Amino acid sequence: MRSRWMVDKVFVFGTLKKGFPLHDRGLLGAAFLGVFRTHWRFPMLIAGPRFAPMMLNEPHLGFRVIGELYEVDEATLMRLDELESVGKPGNLRVLIEVEPVAAGSRVSAFAYMKQRELAEPAHSGFLDLYNDRRFKGLEDEI
């Protein structure tokens, strides 16, 4: 059984990164560990009606995705799961291997991924770095 003091590492590559729309809602106060990239290649693209960055759970396709690594407690992980719709069809939290972009050892971290059927329509090809500003959050619908 997990202790309530347990910490995990989370790799974020899109709207949860610093300076992007969901960072403060999901990771405010979390410990930033640096800029990392996936050890394996994954397809990451901008897709869906919200122009969301999505990394598909299809290793060995696409690019080694660059993002940020955070250390989070269980409450933060639960908040992130809710933001990322984990538990709804096609929305996954997957344990992957990431490594620092500069230099250093590989570590295991959770990443939020989607199944391909959620990536329609696609608004980009595969990307290694997310810098797009077209994301439409729920507040944009008001």
Side-chain angles (χ1 to χ4, degrees):
M1 178 174 206
R2 286 176 58 104
S3 160
R4 66 183 201 148
W5 305 110
M6 193 85 166
V7 294
D8 287 302
K9 291 176 180 64
V10 175
F11 174 77
V12 299
F13 55 87
T15 56
L16 287 165
K17 294 189 312 184
K18 286 181 194 174
F20 286 87
L22 297 180
H23 178 80
D24 288 352
R25 285 180 56 195
L27 288 167
L28 190 63
F32 174 71
L33 301 177
V35 178
F36 280 66
R37 77 173 130 231
T38 59
H39 178 69
W40 300 110
R41 293 178 294 129
F42 286 95
M44 191 260 288
L45 68 159
I46 298 162
R50 298 189 190 286
F51 289 80
M54 297 182 185
M55 189 160 61
L56 306 180
N57 189 22
E58 299 175 12
H60 310 293
L61 294 176
F63 299 103
R64 295 178 67 200
V65 176
I66 297 169
E68 299 172 348
L69 189 67
Y70 290 86
E71 191 170 77
V72 298
D73 60 19
E74 191 169 357
T76 302
L77 192 61
M78 289 172 51
R79 185 171 56 248
L80 292 171
D81 283 356
E82 185 176 332
L83 277 173
E84 293 289 340
S85 301
V86 171
K88 293 182 180 176
N91 297 275
L92 312 166
R93 178 171 25 109
V94 179
L95 193 61
I96 64 169
E97 297 291 313
V98 296
E99 54 198 37
V101 168
S105 300
R106 230 183 330 185
V107 297
S108 296
F110 289 118
Y112 291 96
M113 297 196 191
K114 306 295 184 192
Q115 290 181 329
R116 187 170 288 271
E117 59 267 15
L118 296 181
E120 295 294 332
H123 304 293
S124 75
F126 294 157
L127 305 169
D128 66 342
L129 179 65
Y130 174 76
N131 278 318
D132 197 277
R133 297 292 178 168
R134 294 178 287 172
F135 175 73
K136 297 176 184 173
L138 291 176
E139 60 277 0
D140 295 325
E141 295 178 358
I142 298 172

